[in-house]
C-alpha cells in the first residue's frame, strides 16, 4: 500500500497505520467515526489502548501526508471532526474508489447496450496499479476489503472478456483470458469465457482441452465435476454451435449468521434441489408454517448451500404477501422484476401477464437457475411463475399451504428441538452465559417452546441486560402474571403468542405493563413503521414519563426494537398483531395522532419558508412538536417522512370522514417539503388519494388543491401534458369558487409549467394574467411571482434586457419582504441571463448567493441547477480546478436527485469540462 503527495511518494508507515489510511481513503471525504476505525483494525478484540493508538497512527499519517506543514499549522488533508477523522482527498485519486466507480459505470453502459463505452471504462479500471490489494494491512477491514477488491478485479477481467466477445474481438479475449486463468484455475466463468473465445477463433480442439483441464482440476481440488455453465458450453462446442453467454443474476440476500438447527429439513430440501445421477432439480419446494417459525431463514440458508448447483443465476423477491400496510406484489410485478434482472429492458416487458410469463419462460429456458419467492400470500400470487422449464427450481415461503401447486413438495416447519433451541440462545445471548447453568437453560428453552420468535425475544432480553443470568430471566418467566404468554407450549402461532403477551401485560397490576399493552394496541391504528416518545405520548394521551415507561416495557418484551436517535421500530409481526386489534378509544387516538402530525408538519413548513402560501386547512386542537428553526424543521420532516406518509395513506383509506379529512390535511401539509426535496412519486400518489377523498365528500376546495399539488409533482417529473390538465382543472375550480387568489396562483403555476415545457408564448400570457389579477387583489407574492415567470419566459426567448427588467423588479420585492426562496430563484435566473450575455463573473456572484439561499429553504433541485451553472461559469472563466470541484458536487447530487433537464445539463457540462481538460468523458450517470 502506498501513495504520493505533491512532495512525492510517501511511506504510509507500519501495518496498522496503513489500515487507518485505508479505512479513511475508502470513505473519503466523509468522516469516519473512531469506533469504525477501531472495529476495522481490531474487530471485537480491541485493546484498551486502541483509541490512543489511533491518535498515534493519525499523527504519523499527518506527517507523511503534509511533510512541509509547520508544527502550529492546522492539518488540511487529514482532519478531525464529528467524533472521527476525515481524509480530504478527491475519491478519483484513490485507486480502489476509482476501480469501483469505473466498473460500476461500465456495467451501466453494458446494460444500455453501449458495449464500446463499457469496454473503454473497464480497460481504464484494469489499467490501474495491479497486485494483491492492501498487502500486509491487518484487521477485519483489511481482510474484507482485500477480498472485495480481488473479487472486483477478477469480475472486471471477466467483464472485459465478455465485452470483447460481444464486440466480435475473440482473439483479444483469448489473450487476456489465457493470462488470467492460471491465477484463478477454479474460476469456472473465466474458463467458460475462454472456451467460447477459442471456439469463435476456430480453435475447437483448444477449447475442448480447456474444458478437459478444468474438469480434471475441479475433481482433484474440490472433488466435483464441472458446473452446468461449463457443461452447456462444452456441449455447444461439440455441436459446433455458437456460444452465447447470458447475464447471470445474483440476487440472493445473505444468509443469517445466527442460523442454527433445521438439519433434517436442510438435508431434505438439498436432496430435492441437488439430486443424484445428474437428474434435474425438483421444480417447486414450499416451506410453510406459522409466523415467526423461521421459513425465510431456512429458504436463504438452503439457497446459499446449493448455489454452486445453479450457475445460471439466482433470483429473489419479497412478495410482501402478509406485510401489514404494504401492497403485496402482483404476479406481473414479480415477473417484470425478474425479467429486468435477466437483462430485459423495462420497456420490453409486456404489459399482459400471460405474455410476460411466456417471455420469462423463454429467458430462463436452458438455464440451471434458482428462484426464491419469499412471503407468498397464496398460490394465486405465484401461480404464473410455477411452470418454469425443467432445470429451474423455485423455493417459496408462505404462511398458507401451497400443496395445490403442481409438482409441489411442501415442508411445514415445526418447533425446534431442545438442542437447536439451546444453540440459538447461545448465538443470541452468548455461549458462556448459556453454558453456565445448563439446568436453567433447559427451563428457558422449555418456556420458549421451540418457537424461533420466542427464542429471539429471550435471547435479546439477555443481551440487553448483561447483568442478568439465565436464571434471572427464567424466574421472571416463571410468574404467570409476568411471563410473555407467547412462550406457552402448545400454541405455536405467532399471533397467539403475541396476543398472549399483550393480554398478560394488559391484565397485569404493574403500571408499566398496562401502559405497554395500551401503547401496543394503539400502535396499530395508523400503521406507522416506527415510533418516537413524542408520538407515543400523543397516542396514549398522557405524560411523557408514562409514554417512556410504556416504550421501555415493550423494548424489554422485544415487541419494539430500540433504534438510533431515540426511535423505536415495530417488527413486522408485531405490527401485524397490533393492526388486528380494535381497542376502545382507537378513533380518538387516531384523531389525536393525526392532528399532532398535521400541525407539526404545518409548523415545520412555515419555519422552513415563512413566505410560501400554505395549503388551506382546518384549525386543529393539537400542539405541534417543538421546533426551533428551519434546520430542525427539515430534520424532523426527513426523519418522520415514512411515518407521515404511512399515517396519511392509512387515514385517507378510512371510511370515517373526520379521519380521512385529517389524512388529506396531512398530505397538504407536506406539499412544500415533498416538492423541494423532490419526493415527487410520493407527492403525486398521495395527492391522487387526496383527490379521491375530496371527490368522495364533494369538497371543491380540497379538490382544487389536490389537482394543484398533483400538477406540481407531475410537472417536475416532466410529465407536462398530465400536469397541464390538472392545472386547467385547478384554474376552472378557482373561477367557479370566485377565489381570485387561487385563480392568480393557478395562472402563475401554469406559466411556470409552460416555460419548462418550452411553450414560452403561452407562459407569457399566463404570467400577464397572474400579474393583472394579483395587482387587482393586492397580492404582493402573486405580483412578485408573475414578474419572476415573465422574466423566466423572456430569458428563454432570448429577450435578455426585458428579462433583466422583470427579474430586477421581482428581486427588489423579494428583498423588501425577506423572501429567500424567491430571492434565490431570481438570482439563479439572472445568472442564466449573465451567462447568455457573456458575463460569467457576474453569474458567479449571483450563483454563490443563490446557493446559500436555496440551502436555507431546502430547494434541492434549485441547488443542483445552481451548481451546474456555477461550474459552467468557472469553466468559461478558465478556473478549471474550481469548475471540477463544483461539477463533482453537482454530479453527486444528480445521482440522488434525478431531475431530468438539470441532470442532463449537469452531465453535458461535466463532459464539456472533461473534454477541455483532456479527461475521459464518462457519459450518462
Amino acid at each position: 500500500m502506498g501513495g504520493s503527495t505533491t512532495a512525492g511518494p510517501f511511506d504510509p508507515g507500519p501495518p496498522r497505520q496503513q489500515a487507518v489510511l485505508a479505512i479513511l481513503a475508502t470513505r473519503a471525504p466523509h468522516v469516519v467515526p473512531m469506533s469504525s476505525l477501531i472495529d476495522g483494525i481490531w474487530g471485537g478484540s480491541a485493546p484498551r489502548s486502541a483509541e490512543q493508538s489511533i491518535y498515534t497512527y493519525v499523527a504519523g499519517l499527518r506527517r507523511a501526508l503534509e511533510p512541509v506543514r509547520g508544527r502550529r499549522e492546522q492539518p488540511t488533508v487529514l482532519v478531525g471532526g464529528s467524533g472521527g477523522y476525515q481524509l480530504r482527498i478527491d475519491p478519483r485519486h484513490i485507486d480502489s474508489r476509482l476501480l469501483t466507480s469505473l466498473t460500476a459505470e461500465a456495467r451501466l453502459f453494458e446494460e444500455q447496450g453501449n458495449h464500446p463505452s463499457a469496454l473503454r471504462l473497464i480497460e481504464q479500471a484494469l489499467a490501474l496499479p495491479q497486485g494483491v490489494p492492501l498487502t500486509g494491512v491487518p484487521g477485519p477491514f483489511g481482510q474484507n476489503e482485500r477480498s472485495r477488491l480481488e473479487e472486483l478485479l477478477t469480475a472486471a477481467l471477466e467483464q472485459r472478456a465478455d465485452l470483447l466477445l460481444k464486440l466480435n474481438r475473440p482473439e483479444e479475449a483469448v489473450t487476456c483470458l489465457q493470462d488470467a486463468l492460471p491465477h484463478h484455475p477454479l474460476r469456472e466463468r473465466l474458463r467458460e469465457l475462454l472456451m467460447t473465445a477459442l471456439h469463435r477463433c476456430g480453435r475447437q480442439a483448444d477449447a475442448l482441452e480447456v474444458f478437459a483441464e478444468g474438469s480434471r482440476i475441479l475433481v482433484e481440488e474440490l472433488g466435483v465435476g464441472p458446473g452446468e455453465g461449463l457443461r452447456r458450453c462444452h456441449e455447444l462446442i461439440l455441436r459446433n454451435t455458437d456460444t452465447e453467454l447470458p447475464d447471470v443474476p445474483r440476487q440472493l440476500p445473505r444468509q443469517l449468521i445466527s442460523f442454527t438447527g433445521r438439519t433434517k429439513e436442510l438435508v431434505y430440501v438439498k436432496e430435492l434441489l441437488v439430486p443424484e445421477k445428474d437428474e434435474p432439480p425438483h421444480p417447486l419446494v414450499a416451506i410453510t408454517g406459522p409466523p415467526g417459525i423461521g421459513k425465510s431463514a431456512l429458504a436463504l440458508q438452503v439457497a446459499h448451500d446449493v448455489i454452486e448447483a445453479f450457475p445460471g443465476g439466482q433470483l429473489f423477491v419479497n412478495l410482501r404477501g402478509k406485510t401489514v400496510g404494504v401492497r403485496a406484489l402482483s404476479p406481473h410485478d414479480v415477473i417484470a422484476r425478474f425479467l429486468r434482472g435477466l437483462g430485459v429492458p423495462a420497456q420490453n416487458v409486456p404489459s399482459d401477464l400471460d405474455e410476460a410469463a411466456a417471455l420469462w419462460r423463454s429467458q430462463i429456458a436452458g438455464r440451471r437457475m434458482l428462484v426464491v419467492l419469499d412471503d407468498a400470500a397464496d398460490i394465486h400470487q405465484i401461480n404464473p411463475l410455477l411452470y418454469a422449464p425443467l432445470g429451474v427450481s423455485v423455493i417459496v415461503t408462505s404462511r398458507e399451504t401451497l400443496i395445490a401447486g403442481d409438482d409441489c413438495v411442501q415442508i411445514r416447519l415445526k418447533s425446534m428441538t431442545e438442542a437447536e433451541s439451546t444453540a440459538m440462545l447461545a448465538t443470541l445471548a452468548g455461549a458462556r452465559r448459556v453454558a453456565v447453568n445448563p439446568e436453567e437453560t433447559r427451563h428457558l428453552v422449555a418456556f420458549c417452546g421451540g418457537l424461533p420468535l420466542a427464542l429471539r425475544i429471550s435471547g435479546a432480553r439477555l443481551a440487553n441486560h448483561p447483568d442478568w443470568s439465565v436464571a434471572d430471566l427464567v424466574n421472571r418467566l416463571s410468574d404467570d402474571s409476568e411471563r410473555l404468554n407467547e412462550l406457552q407450549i402448545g400454541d405455536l402461532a405467532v399471533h397467539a403468542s403475541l396476543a398472549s403477551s399483550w393480554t398478560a401485560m394488559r391484565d397485569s397490576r404493574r403500571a408499566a405493563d398496562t401502559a405497554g399493552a395500551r401503547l401496543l394496541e394503539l400502535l396499530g391504528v395508523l400503521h406507522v413503521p416506527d415510533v418516537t416518545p413524542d408520538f407515543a405520548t400523543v397516542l396514549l394521551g398522557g405524560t411523557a414519563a408514562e409514554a417512556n415507561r410504556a416504550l421501555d416495557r415493550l423494548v424489554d418484551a422485544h415487541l419494539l426494537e430500540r433504534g438510533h436517535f431515540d426511535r423505536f421500530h415495530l417488527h413486522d409481526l408485531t405490527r401485524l398483531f397490533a393492526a388486528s386489534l380494535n381497542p376502545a378509544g382507537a378513533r380518538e387516538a387516531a384523531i389525536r395522532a393525526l392532528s399532532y402530525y398535521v400541525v407539526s408538519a404545518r409548523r415545520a413548513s412555515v419555519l422552513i419558508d415563512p413566505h410560501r402560501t400554505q395549503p388551506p386547512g382546518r384549525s386543529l386542537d393539537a400542539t405541534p412538536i417543538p421546533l426551533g428553526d428551519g434546520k430542525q424543521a427539515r430534520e424532523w420532516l426527513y426523519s418522520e417522512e415514512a411515518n407521515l406518509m404511512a399515517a396519511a395513506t392509512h387515514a385517507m383509506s378510512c371510511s370515517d370522514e373526520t379521519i380521512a379529512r385529517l389524512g388529506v390535511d396531512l398530505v397538504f401539509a407536506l406539499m412544500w417539503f415533498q416538492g423541494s426535496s423532490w419526493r415527487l412519486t410520493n407527492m403525486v400518489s398521495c395527492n391522487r388519494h387526496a383527490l379521491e377523498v375530496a371527490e368522495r365528500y364533494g369538497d371543491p376546495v380540497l379538490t382544487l388543491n389536490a389537482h394543484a399539488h398533483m400538477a406540481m409533482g407531475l410537472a417536475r417529473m416532466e410529465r407536462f401534458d398530465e400536469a397541464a390538465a390538472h392545472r386547467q382543472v385547478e384554474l376552472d375550480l378557482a373561477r367557479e369558487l370566485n377565489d381570485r387568489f387561487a385563480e392568480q396562483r393557478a395562472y402563475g403555476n401554469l406559466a411556470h409549467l409552460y416555460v419548462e415545457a418550452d411553450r414560452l408564448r403561452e407562459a407569457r400570457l399566463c404570467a400577464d394574467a397572474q400579474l393583472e389579477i394579483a395587482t387587482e387583489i393586492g397580492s404582493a407574492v402573486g405580483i412578485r411571482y408573475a414578474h419572476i415567470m415573465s422574466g423566466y419566459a423572456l430569458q428563454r426567448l432570448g429577450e435578455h434586457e426585458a428579462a433583466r427588467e422583470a427579474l430586477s423588479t421581482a428581486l427588489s420585492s423579494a428583498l423588501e419582504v425577506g423572501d429567500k426562496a424567491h430571492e434565490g430563484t431570481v438570482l439563479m435566473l439572472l445568472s442564466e441571463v449573465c451567462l447568455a450575455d457573456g458575463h460569467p463573473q457576474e453569474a458567479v456572484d449571483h450563483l454563490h448567493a443563490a446557493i446559500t439561499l436555496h440551502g436555507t429553504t431546502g430547494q434541492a433541485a434549485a441547488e443542483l441547477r445552481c451548481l451546474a451553472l456555477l461550474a459552467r461559469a468557472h469553466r468559461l472563466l478558465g478556473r478549471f480546478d474550481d469548475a471540477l470541484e463544483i461539477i463533482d458536487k453537482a454530479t453527486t447530487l444528480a445521482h440522488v436527485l434525478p431531475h431530468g433537464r438539470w441532470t442532463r445539463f449537469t452531465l453535458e457540462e461535466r463532459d464539456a469540462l472533461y473534454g477541455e481538460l483532456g479527461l475521459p468523458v464518462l457519459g450518462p450517470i
Side-chain angles (χ1 to χ4, degrees), residues 292-494:
I293 203 68
K295 302 180 293 295
S296 300
L298 175 61
L300 284 177
Q301 186 67 37
V302 169
H304 281 279
D305 284 352
V306 302
I307 197 169
E308 294 299 327
F310 295 90
Q314 304 85 42
L315 296 168
F316 176 89
V317 66
N318 180 355
L319 298 167
R320 304 195 298 237
K322 297 294 183 181
T323 304
V324 176
V326 178
R327 182 184 68 86
L329 296 182
S330 69
H332 189 273
D333 290 336
V334 179
I335 293 175
R337 286 189 181 198
F338 284 168
L339 287 173
R340 293 194 296 270
L342 292 167
V344 176
Q347 63 270 22
N348 292 346
V349 176
S351 58
D352 179 77
L353 176 59
D354 290 338
E355 291 180 10
L359 179 58
W360 146 257
R361 293 190 292 272
S362 297
Q363 287 290 317
I364 60 177
R367 297 196 188 197
R368 187 64 66 91
M369 179 174 284
L370 183 63
V371 181
V372 180
L373 306 175
D374 191 32
D375 191 21
D378 50 39
I379 192 69
H380 303 292
Q381 187 184 19
I382 60 172
N383 208 47
L385 294 124
L386 301 185
Y387 300 98
L390 282 179
V392 176
S393 286
V394 177
I395 302 175
V396 56
T397 71
S398 179
R399 299 167 193 175
E400 305 289 339
T401 181
L402 300 177
I403 197 64
D406 291 346
D407 297 321
C408 177
V409 172
Q410 179 166 285
I411 300 160
R412 188 185 188 283
L413 295 186
K414 299 180 180 179
S415 301
M416 297 177 77
T417 66
E418 180 179 319
E420 291 172 333
S421 299
T422 302
M424 186 174 183
L425 279 173
T427 301
L428 293 166
R432 173 181 281 182
R433 290 172 81 186
V434 169
V436 165
N437 192 332
E439 185 66 23
E440 294 297 336
T441 297
R442 280 194 291 272
H443 285 309
L444 179 55
V445 167
F447 281 132
C448 291
L451 193 67
L453 177 59
L455 290 163
R456 179 187 175 193
I457 293 171
S458 297
R461 280 181 168 178
L462 289 171
N464 286 334
H465 296 277
D467 56 318
W468 285 5
S469 66
V470 174
D472 291 329
L473 181 55
V474 168
N475 289 335
R476 287 172 173 264
L477 295 177
S478 298
D479 186 346
D480 290 343
S481 65
E482 296 293 329
R483 191 173 72 220
L484 296 177
N485 284 339
E486 76 271 15
L487 300 183
Q488 290 180 353
I489 297 173
D491 189 354
L492 300 179
V494 169

Side-chain angles (χ1 to χ4, degrees), residues 763-798:
R764 287 290 315 281
L765 293 174
C766 287
D768 290 344
Q770 181 186 25
L771 181 60
E772 179 180 347
I773 299 173
T775 302
E776 173 191 325
I777 64 175
S779 171
V781 67
I783 294 170
R784 183 163 61 250
Y785 195 77
H787 284 303
I788 293 174
M789 289 302 104
S790 181
Y792 191 13
L794 289 165
Q795 179 263 322
R796 293 283 297 278
L797 286 165

Side-chain angles (χ1 to χ4, degrees), residues 449-701:
L451 193 67
L453 177 59
L455 290 163
R456 179 187 175 193
I457 293 171
S458 297
R461 280 181 168 178
L462 289 171
N464 286 334
H465 296 277
D467 56 318
W468 285 5
S469 66
V470 174
D472 291 329
L473 181 55
V474 168
N475 289 335
R476 287 172 173 264
L477 295 177
S478 298
D479 186 346
D480 290 343
S481 65
E482 296 293 329
R483 191 173 72 220
L484 296 177
N485 284 339
E486 76 271 15
L487 300 183
Q488 290 180 353
I489 297 173
D491 189 354
L492 300 179
V494 169
H495 185 279
S497 297
L498 292 171
S500 298
S501 174
W502 167 70
T503 302
M505 288 194 295
R506 183 196 63 187
D507 296 340
S508 170
R509 296 180 179 179
R510 295 178 57 199
D513 282 355
T514 54
R518 178 60 175 164
L519 178 57
L520 180 60
E521 65 187 19
L522 292 179
L523 287 176
V525 300
L526 291 181
H527 295 196
V528 293
D530 59 28
V531 187
T532 64
D534 291 309
F535 181 75
T537 302
V538 172
L539 264 185
L540 289 169
T543 66
E546 291 169 343
N548 281 319
R549 283 195 294 270
L551 289 167
D552 290 341
R553 181 64 187 95
L554 290 176
V555 169
D556 196 41
H558 210 69
L559 300 172
L560 279 181
E561 296 178 358
R562 190 186 301 272
H564 297 297
F565 309 113
D566 213 16
R567 303 186 77 84
F568 299 82
H569 305 290
L570 280 162
H571 186 279
D572 281 346
L573 298 173
T574 308
R575 187 185 306 114
L576 175 66
F577 167 72
S580 70
L581 301 173
N582 187 24
R587 180 178 184 273
E588 291 75 12
I591 291 172
R592 283 197 306 271
L594 286 166
S595 299
Y596 159 78
Y597 272 154
V598 171
V599 297
S600 296
R602 288 174 180 171
R603 173 65 177 160
S605 185
V606 171
L607 283 172
I608 291 171
D609 191 348
H611 293 279
R612 299 287 64 78
T613 301
Q614 300 300 322
R618 298 163 297 160
S619 177
L620 299 174
D621 182 19
T623 302
I625 186 171
L627 298 169
D629 54 23
K631 181 175 182 294
Q632 285 187 9
R634 277 195 302 277
E635 290 173 352
W636 182 81
L637 285 168
Y638 279 115
S639 65
E640 285 293 321
E641 182 181 7
N643 289 330
L644 297 171
M645 290 289 297
T649 301
H650 179 71
M652 289 187 295
S653 300
C654 186
S655 59
D656 185 301
E657 181 175 352
T658 299
I659 291 177
R661 284 180 175 273
L662 281 168
V664 174
D665 288 339
L666 182 52
V667 168
F668 285 4
L670 294 172
M671 183 266 291
W672 287 114
F673 166 73
Q674 290 179 326
S676 63
S677 59
W678 225 245
R679 303 300 206 264
L680 304 182
T681 300
N682 285 344
M683 185 179 195
V684 171
S685 63
C686 281
N687 278 282
R688 182 174 286 117
H689 203 162
L691 181 59
E692 293 171 4
V693 175
E695 291 175 346
R696 184 195 314 164
Y697 298 116
D699 191 324
V701 175

